[in-house]
Amino acid sequence: MGGHPADASLTRLCASVADHPGLPPPAHVYEIPTGELNAFAAGFGSGDTTIALTTGIRRALTERELEAVIAHEIARTLMSVSSGTEGSDGTAAGRGS
């Protein structure tokens, strides 16, 4: 399930969501070309956060709903840093969504 760098619209949306609480924008934003509804985050803090969303979730959700999904994913990377987990989505500590 390979991805590609996101288009300017999705990259701006992710940067805007991160900026709201004063965080730097994600270092990388990707779109994964699949109809599945999913989003992922990876990173060990705000400086190296990577956000990936599937094409399916982009098509299924409104922009406001996407903002909520992106905020959730960014928060997960910050929680991983504060709790000392090593996984991209909390699974290393047995806490998948």
Side-chain angles (χ1 to χ4, degrees), residues 14-25:
C14 288
S16 174
V17 169
D19 185 58
H20 186 72
L23 298 171

Side-chain angles (χ1 to χ4, degrees), residues 27-90:
H28 308 282
V29 180
Y30 291 95
E31 183 167 344
I32 301 168
T34 179
E36 295 177 26
L37 305 180
N38 217 336
F40 307 91
F44 296 103
S46 58
D48 73 342
T49 300
T50 297
I51 302 293
L53 289 96
T54 63
T55 301
I57 203 166
R58 284 190 77 182
R59 290 181 179 156
L61 301 182
T62 67
E63 186 169 308
R64 187 169 176 107
E65 291 167 331
L66 281 174
E67 288 173 349
V69 168
I70 293 164
H72 170 82
E73 295 302 332
I74 290 171
R76 291 183 69 113
T77 63
L78 297 174
M79 291 179 354
S80 292
V81 170
S82 67
S83 67
T85 61
E86 305 264 332
S88 63
D89 64 357

